[in-house]
Every structure is written in structure tokens, then in C-alpha cells.
Amino acid sequence: MSSEPPCEEAPVSELAGGLRFNTKFAALVIVLFPALMGLAGWQMWRSQEKAVMLAVVEARSQQAPIRVSLLQDSTRSGLDRLPVELRGHYLQGRDFLLDNRVLRGTVGYELITPFQDRDGTVAFVNRGWRAALRTREQLPVPEIIEQEVQLIGDVYAPEDLRRLRSAASGGWPCILQAVDIAEMARIAGVEAFPYLVRLRSEQPGVRDAHWETVNIAPERHVAYAAQWFFMGLALLLVFLLGGTNVREWYTNNHGGGKRHG
């Protein structure tokens, strides 16, 4: 009759004073606890970053619009969300559709068209959202605005180091997967202002221009940070209560009181 092998005991280490702990559990805590605290700190940093961005956008929204050709600061941070004014006309027949844009739960495109100012400056302007049609072969038809118009918009130049390929399709309107002003200017055969201009609502040729300042509010980042922080504390508590003999050690050393003979 064969006997079953004995159960393998968890590896245990002992510190001075009789305090013991599960070494495998301790190794897991050493790895996970700093990671959870780091995620909490990162979310707090993102919250502060978003709060600063909202403050900058609010301050710049109060400024008077500037002609695009008069903008002097060439840095992204210096130009981002600055109000600008354009007077001229849309360059017809060179429209771009930014793919996979969702508005109110419906998939569609954002319409981007080169606009030529009176002084000759060309800027790519985002004219808002257009609903996708029944099939991918059918594309929204951009409204034709032939007369000269005056437009107000905001420079959109976020500090984003990611570089997605535009993957432009052939023909007009040209479908894009990501905005790349240099590539769009090459395709359209123009020299253009290096950043996109998001037009404001209720202007000629503009529809459904709903622009989010930030995709996640600072308060939500704080909530995420709290979740990571409390997960780290819970992990530490579970380790102390289940991976060590801290309760027994504390009772023996501090909680037993004096014994009477």
C-alpha cells in the first residue's frame, strides 16, 4: 500500500524576535506594492497635468483671435489652443476625412479642408464631424462653400510624442487614419501652417464641431490614483495577516501582559 507524499510547506524565513514570513508571498509584495504605488503616483501626475491644461485653455479662450499669418511662437505649447482668425476661402476638391471618429455613439469622420487666407497662408481646418454612410464605399460629400468667409478657430497642437502613420487613401475626399499636416500638405500640393485649426461651431461649412479639451477629467485621474493606492494597502494588509505571524508575534511580545503564578 503506497503512502501519499507529504504536502510541501511554504518557504518561511524568520527574523530576530521570532517574527516569521512567507518568502514567496514577500517576494510578490516586493514586486507588486511599488508598482501599485507607482501607478497611483502616475495618475496623480496626470491629474495635475490635465488641470494645468484646462487652466491654459480657459485663459487662452479669453484672448482675441489672431490672424494665422501673424502667429510668432513656433512651439507646440505656445500655439496650442490659441484662438485664430481666417479670412479667405476653402480650397475645394482637396478634402480629407479623418476615419473612425465617434459622436453620440455613431461612427463617422471629421472633415478637414485646406483653407487659403487672403494673405496666401494655407491652414488645414477641421470642419467637424460627418456621419458615415451605409457602406465604406460611400463617403460623405463635403459642402461646397465658394464665397469668401471669415472663420474663427483654435490651433490644435497637443504635445503628443506618438507618431501614427496617416495611411492616406487615394482619391478625393482622401481618407486618413491620423492627422499628419506635412503629409496632407504634400498630397494636397500646398505649403501649409504646420498645425491643425479646429473651427468653432455655427460657421459656414462647419457642422457638429464638438471638441473635448481633455479626454479624462482631472477628478477621474484622482479616483484612479485612489484605487491603485488602496489596492496597494490591501495587498500589504493581506500579506501581514496571511503571510506572517505578526498577530501571534505581537501578542507574545506586547499583548500578553504579565502572567501571575
Side-chain angles (χ1 to χ4, degrees), residues 24-255:
K24 288 187 177 180
F25 201 164
L28 182 65
V29 172
I30 290 172
V31 172
L32 291 182
F33 184 76
L36 293 172
M37 293 299 103
L39 287 170
W42 178 73
Q43 288 291 350
M44 289 301 298
W45 174 77
R46 290 290 286 165
S47 173
Q48 295 173 0
E49 182 184 47
K50 296 291 181 65
V52 170
M53 182 184 301
L54 289 172
V56 169
V57 171
E58 177 63 24
R60 291 183 176 178
S61 68
Q62 306 303 318
Q63 299 181 22
I66 306 172
R67 296 289 293 274
V68 170
S69 58
L70 299 180
L71 293 176
Q72 297 181 354
D73 194 330
S74 60
T75 64
R76 284 181 179 269
S77 59
L79 293 175
D80 189 34
R81 317 306 170 103
L82 270 180
V84 292
E85 177 187 15
L86 301 114
R87 295 180 184 178
H89 59 277
Y90 292 105
L91 297 181
Q92 308 295 339
R94 284 175 273 189
D95 302 287
F96 293 85
L97 294 173
L98 183 59
D99 202 0
N100 297 316
R101 305 289 102 179
V102 179
L103 180 65
R104 295 186 288 269
T106 303
V107 177
Y109 307 88
E110 288 179 10
L111 175 60
I112 301 174
T113 304
F115 186 93
Q116 186 167 25
D117 197 81
R118 281 180 179 177
D119 61 12
T121 303
V122 175
F124 282 93
V125 296
N126 193 324
R127 300 166 59 182
W129 183 84
R130 303 294 186 274
L133 302 179
R134 305 182 78 178
T135 67
R136 293 286 293 180
E137 287 71 28
Q138 296 176 293
L139 297 176
V141 178
E143 306 94 313
I144 296 177
I145 308 292
E146 294 183 343
Q147 70 271 24
E148 182 176 286
V149 294
Q150 178 178 350
L151 301 173
I152 302 297
D154 303 280
V155 177
Y156 183 62
E159 292 282 0
D160 191 345
L161 298 180
R162 294 171 296 176
R163 292 292 180 268
L164 301 177
R165 295 189 62 185
S166 59
S169 67
W172 299 104
C174 182
I175 299 177
L176 297 172
Q177 300 303 320
V179 173
D180 184 333
I181 297 297
E183 178 65 10
M184 294 163 65
R186 185 193 66 80
I187 294 172
V190 297
E191 291 186 7
F193 177 68
Y195 304 113
L196 187 67
V197 175
R198 286 176 163 180
L199 297 180
R200 298 182 183 178
S201 303
E202 300 179 0
Q203 298 184 97
V206 184
R207 289 205 334 248
D208 287 322
H210 304 285
W211 313 122
E212 289 184 342
T213 303
V214 295
N215 56 348
I216 299 178
E219 297 78 10
R220 185 174 296 183
H221 282 292
V222 173
Y224 290 153
Q227 289 178 358
W228 291 119
F229 178 75
F230 285 116
M231 285 176 64
L233 290 184
L235 174 67
L236 193 59
L237 182 62
V238 169
F239 168 68
L240 290 175
L241 297 180
T244 72
N245 68 332
V246 67
R247 286 181 293 183
E248 177 187 350
W249 174 84
Y250 182 83
T251 300
N252 292 340
N253 290 272
H254 303 281

